[in-house]
Amino acid sequence: LNPDYGMFKEYDESRTIWFNPSSFEADEHFVMIGIVCGLAIYNFTIINLPFPPTLYKKILGEKTEDLSDLAELSPTTAKSLQKLLDYSESDFCDVFCLNFTIDESYFGEIVSKPLKPGGADIEVTQQNKHEYVKLYVDYVINTSCQGHVEAFKRGFLKVVNKQVLGLFQAKELMALVIGNENYDWKVFQENCEYKEPFHKNHESILMFWRCFKELTEEQKRKFLLFLTGSDRIPARGMDSVTLTIQRSGDPNFLPVAHTCFNLLDLPEYSTKEKMKFKLIQAIQQTEGFGIV
């Protein structure tokens, strides 16, 4: 999914990605990503696929031709096009100086693509501006990447039954893949399990939860990322996230997370201050793997 590979374009403003029309990758690669997306739903696994809801609307067979669809990728571009539609003065052509083309970057070179036959010679006016906006949105969301999207959809439908999709709206389907942000830290604590000699009333466990409650909301999310590999929670909610805490040996070490099992190795620290310091150190270093 890394935009450096050329399969997708990154939209920094919305922190989403979209299919790159200039990609030379074979359709099989997009089919594979669709399969991975479908498997995430099948296995109730959260994965970081930063596609906008527009993609899931396409999977459900809904139309994607409005400015709101473009806004999910590029809010600034959508606002600019809306201002164009709202402008009613007679100097429209002098102000905007547009024709029926769209500029795109192809490997560092700006290429002008016509939105309709002869588009470079057709000026955008008050009379045809609605057609221009409609063609612009359609090009970015649909026609420029239609083959790639269809390949992705084929892969997705290899795993997810098409009839089941009718039960979901686009944002619900997206939540099944990437999770949501409906955090309930009280439920998170109540669902926690402990391995002997730890138990819910053990001094170290009571100390741990006091430290956890003192963390900022952002630090709690980082702890979730540290523990599970994602800072989002499954569509089924916090009830489906079970933390297990077991004792580890040396109190000079940091807490260790086994992300495959939501398992936390917690040393018995002598003070709450030391535990909180070590915990914050651990959650700030959430990248990479080690053999424990």
mmCIF file of all heavy atoms in Angstrom, residues 33 46 67 69 75 102 112 132 139 148-149 153 185 227 233:
data_model
loop_
_atom_site.group_PDB
_atom_site.id
_atom_site.type_symbol
_atom_site.label_atom_id
_atom_site.label_comp_id
_atom_site.label_asym_id
_atom_site.label_seq_id
_atom_site.Cartn_x
_atom_site.Cartn_y
_atom_site.Cartn_z
ATOM 1 N N ILE A 33 -4.916 -7.541 -3.060
ATOM 2 C CA ILE A 33 -5.234 -6.605 -1.978
ATOM 3 C C ILE A 33 -6.717 -6.691 -1.627
ATOM 4 O O ILE A 33 -7.095 -6.604 -0.458
ATOM 5 C CB ILE A 33 -4.835 -5.176 -2.376
ATOM 6 C CG1 ILE A 33 -3.312 -5.089 -2.534
ATOM 7 C CG2 ILE A 33 -5.316 -4.166 -1.343
ATOM 8 C CD1 ILE A 33 -2.816 -3.769 -3.044
ATOM 9 N N ILE A 46 -8.456 -6.479 12.368
ATOM 10 C CA ILE A 46 -8.327 -5.082 11.961
ATOM 11 C C ILE A 46 -7.024 -4.904 11.198
ATOM 12 O O ILE A 46 -5.963 -5.325 11.656
ATOM 13 C CB ILE A 46 -8.329 -4.153 13.184
ATOM 14 C CG1 ILE A 46 -9.656 -4.265 13.927
ATOM 15 C CG2 ILE A 46 -8.079 -2.715 12.779
ATOM 16 C CD1 ILE A 46 -9.681 -3.495 15.226
ATOM 17 N N LEU A 67 -19.658 15.444 -5.231
ATOM 18 C CA LEU A 67 -18.532 16.163 -4.627
ATOM 19 C C LEU A 67 -18.191 15.594 -3.245
ATOM 20 O O LEU A 67 -17.035 15.629 -2.829
ATOM 21 C CB LEU A 67 -18.874 17.645 -4.500
ATOM 22 C CG LEU A 67 -18.519 18.534 -5.695
ATOM 23 C CD1 LEU A 67 -18.968 19.961 -5.442
ATOM 24 C CD2 LEU A 67 -17.035 18.488 -5.993
ATOM 25 N N ASP A 69 -18.069 12.551 -2.429
ATOM 26 C CA ASP A 69 -17.155 11.422 -2.630
ATOM 27 C C ASP A 69 -15.728 11.909 -2.838
ATOM 28 O O ASP A 69 -14.778 11.336 -2.302
ATOM 29 C CB ASP A 69 -17.608 10.580 -3.835
ATOM 30 C CG ASP A 69 -18.973 9.950 -3.616
ATOM 31 O OD1 ASP A 69 -19.173 9.350 -2.547
ATOM 32 O OD2 ASP A 69 -19.828 10.072 -4.506
ATOM 33 N N PRO A 75 -10.525 17.184 0.474
ATOM 34 C CA PRO A 75 -11.502 18.200 0.875
ATOM 35 C C PRO A 75 -11.268 19.561 0.229
ATOM 36 O O PRO A 75 -12.220 20.253 -0.144
ATOM 37 C CB PRO A 75 -11.327 18.276 2.400
ATOM 38 C CG PRO A 75 -10.758 16.948 2.784
ATOM 39 C CD PRO A 75 -9.877 16.540 1.637
ATOM 40 N N ILE A 102 -7.792 17.969 -16.905
ATOM 41 C CA ILE A 102 -7.333 17.785 -15.537
ATOM 42 C C ILE A 102 -5.844 17.486 -15.581
ATOM 43 O O ILE A 102 -5.382 16.715 -16.428
ATOM 44 C CB ILE A 102 -8.107 16.648 -14.823
ATOM 45 C CG1 ILE A 102 -7.661 16.531 -13.364
ATOM 46 C CG2 ILE A 102 -7.971 15.325 -15.551
ATOM 47 C CD1 ILE A 102 -8.528 15.574 -12.553
ATOM 48 N N SER A 112 -1.630 16.824 -18.920
ATOM 49 C CA SER A 112 -2.993 17.327 -18.979
ATOM 50 C C SER A 112 -3.874 16.313 -19.690
ATOM 51 O O SER A 112 -3.602 15.938 -20.836
ATOM 52 C CB SER A 112 -3.025 18.670 -19.714
ATOM 53 O OG SER A 112 -4.317 19.209 -19.721
ATOM 54 N N TYR A 132 -18.616 20.272 -16.124
ATOM 55 C CA TYR A 132 -17.183 20.187 -15.815
ATOM 56 C C TYR A 132 -16.948 19.520 -14.463
ATOM 57 O O TYR A 132 -16.122 18.608 -14.344
ATOM 58 C CB TYR A 132 -16.584 21.598 -15.822
ATOM 59 C CG TYR A 132 -15.181 21.667 -15.255
ATOM 60 C CD1 TYR A 132 -14.081 21.259 -16.014
ATOM 61 C CD2 TYR A 132 -14.952 22.132 -13.956
ATOM 62 C CE1 TYR A 132 -12.791 21.311 -15.495
ATOM 63 C CE2 TYR A 132 -13.672 22.193 -13.428
ATOM 64 C CZ TYR A 132 -12.593 21.772 -14.210
ATOM 65 O OH TYR A 132 -11.325 21.822 -13.674
ATOM 66 N N TYR A 139 -13.905 11.450 -13.269
ATOM 67 C CA TYR A 139 -12.573 11.025 -13.703
ATOM 68 C C TYR A 139 -11.737 10.565 -12.515
ATOM 69 O O TYR A 139 -11.120 9.491 -12.540
ATOM 70 C CB TYR A 139 -11.859 12.166 -14.435
ATOM 71 C CG TYR A 139 -10.457 11.788 -14.872
ATOM 72 C CD1 TYR A 139 -10.253 11.111 -16.063
ATOM 73 C CD2 TYR A 139 -9.353 12.084 -14.072
ATOM 74 C CE1 TYR A 139 -8.975 10.730 -16.460
ATOM 75 C CE2 TYR A 139 -8.078 11.709 -14.457
ATOM 76 C CZ TYR A 139 -7.895 11.034 -15.659
ATOM 77 O OH TYR A 139 -6.625 10.644 -16.025
ATOM 78 N N HIS A 148 -8.490 -0.966 -12.078
ATOM 79 C CA HIS A 148 -7.888 -1.323 -10.791
ATOM 80 C C HIS A 148 -8.960 -1.585 -9.732
ATOM 81 O O HIS A 148 -8.843 -2.521 -8.934
ATOM 82 C CB HIS A 148 -6.963 -0.205 -10.314
ATOM 83 C CG HIS A 148 -5.826 0.087 -11.247
ATOM 84 N ND1 HIS A 148 -5.283 -0.868 -12.078
ATOM 85 C CD2 HIS A 148 -5.122 1.233 -11.475
ATOM 86 C CE1 HIS A 148 -4.298 -0.338 -12.771
ATOM 87 N NE2 HIS A 148 -4.177 0.935 -12.428
ATOM 88 N N VAL A 149 -9.987 -0.740 -9.710
ATOM 89 C CA VAL A 149 -11.060 -0.895 -8.719
ATOM 90 C C VAL A 149 -11.809 -2.199 -8.947
ATOM 91 O O VAL A 149 -12.120 -2.935 -8.001
ATOM 92 C CB VAL A 149 -12.021 0.301 -8.771
ATOM 93 C CG1 VAL A 149 -13.220 0.060 -7.852
ATOM 94 C CG2 VAL A 149 -11.309 1.581 -8.362
ATOM 95 N N LYS A 153 -12.238 -5.296 -6.411
ATOM 96 C CA LYS A 153 -13.575 -5.795 -6.060
ATOM 97 C C LYS A 153 -13.687 -7.292 -6.313
ATOM 98 O O LYS A 153 -14.291 -8.020 -5.507
ATOM 99 C CB LYS A 153 -14.630 -5.023 -6.861
ATOM 100 C CG LYS A 153 -16.063 -5.316 -6.462
ATOM 101 C CD LYS A 153 -17.022 -4.416 -7.228
ATOM 102 C CE LYS A 153 -18.476 -4.724 -6.872
ATOM 103 N NZ LYS A 153 -19.413 -3.829 -7.597
ATOM 104 N N TRP A 185 -12.818 2.390 28.026
ATOM 105 C CA TRP A 185 -11.685 1.886 28.799
ATOM 106 C C TRP A 185 -12.133 1.135 30.053
ATOM 107 O O TRP A 185 -11.406 0.271 30.554
ATOM 108 C CB TRP A 185 -10.750 3.040 29.159
ATOM 109 C CG TRP A 185 -10.242 3.770 27.951
ATOM 110 C CD1 TRP A 185 -10.502 5.060 27.600
ATOM 111 C CD2 TRP A 185 -9.410 3.232 26.905
ATOM 112 N NE1 TRP A 185 -9.884 5.366 26.408
ATOM 113 C CE2 TRP A 185 -9.208 4.270 25.955
ATOM 114 C CE3 TRP A 185 -8.820 1.990 26.676
ATOM 115 C CZ2 TRP A 185 -8.433 4.104 24.807
ATOM 116 C CZ3 TRP A 185 -8.053 1.815 25.526
ATOM 117 C CH2 TRP A 185 -7.870 2.862 24.613
ATOM 118 N N LEU A 227 -0.236 -2.987 22.268
ATOM 119 C CA LEU A 227 -0.738 -4.303 22.664
ATOM 120 C C LEU A 227 -1.234 -5.136 21.490
ATOM 121 O O LEU A 227 -0.939 -6.330 21.393
ATOM 122 C CB LEU A 227 -1.879 -4.130 23.676
ATOM 123 C CG LEU A 227 -2.581 -5.404 24.137
ATOM 124 C CD1 LEU A 227 -1.662 -6.221 25.026
ATOM 125 C CD2 LEU A 227 -3.886 -5.065 24.860
ATOM 126 N N ILE A 233 -10.419 -0.301 17.342
ATOM 127 C CA ILE A 233 -11.020 -1.496 17.927
ATOM 128 C C ILE A 233 -11.975 -2.139 16.930
ATOM 129 O O ILE A 233 -12.486 -1.473 16.030
ATOM 130 C CB ILE A 233 -11.757 -1.161 19.239
ATOM 131 C CG1 ILE A 233 -12.898 -0.164 18.980
ATOM 132 C CG2 ILE A 233 -10.798 -0.632 20.285
ATOM 133 C CD1 ILE A 233 -13.744 0.100 20.204
#
